[in-house]
Amino acid sequence: MRNFIIAALLLMPVTAFAQDNTWEMPEPTQQQGNPDAKYLEGAVPEVDGRVVFQTTIEAPGKSARQLYDILLPILQQQCREAGQFEQSRIVIQDTTTMQLVASYQEWLVFKNQPLSLDRTRLMYHIIVDCADGQASIQMTRIYYLYDEERQPQTYRAEEWITDRYGLNRSKTKLARISGKFRRKTIDRKDYLFGKYTRALQQ
């Protein structure tokens, strides 16, 4: 019995101690309509063949420099959040063009149950361009490194989560395998853009 307990404890750092996506809100217990509707056709935009999520946040009365100074520490703090890899960093801080570029590598967890952990490394860039009264933000250059502890597989967003690859042929359901990447990537984008919006519009 003692040996069994020790063996179980040795497994725990990989499973039980692995964190869920700490930014996610609990899913509502009751949902009307199709719960996957927000993830279906058109939810992953492409610009010149590249997946680019983008938003423009209006912040009347704030200068470009004020918006820059608000977002810089937020992007820096994001580099140090739970689930981030040491490679996450700010790569451009330009107060002349008022541009910020951050490169992130983080865990994106699909399922975390006892003795069953399904996750991928998510890599992406956040590009911020500040102007008086507004900030334009992009999430792009998205890659995944999946199953890296056993049989590493690398996927580009353009070949994995677009409408062509992330949905079934009739565009009515998420694809069986790549669909989970599409869902969690959209959820992460929504969370980040919401956080930036709240910070700039306070």
Side-chain angles (χ1 to χ4, degrees), residues 23 38-40 43-44 53 144 161 174 181-191:
W23 46 269
K38 66 176 281 188
Y39 307 107
L40 299 182
V44 177
F53 295 106
Y144 309 92
I161 67 166
L174 293 170
F181 291 78
R182 180 181 172 105
R183 175 198 298 273
K184 291 296 185 180
T185 302
I186 292 171
D187 287 347
R188 181 59 169 159
K189 177 267 298 183
D190 287 347
Y191 171 81

Side-chain angles (χ1 to χ4, degrees), residues 170-183:
S170 61
K171 306 293 190 295
T172 57
K173 295 181 180 179
L174 293 170
R176 187 174 63 86
I177 298 176
S178 60
K180 64 185 179 182
F181 291 78
R182 180 181 172 105
R183 175 198 298 273

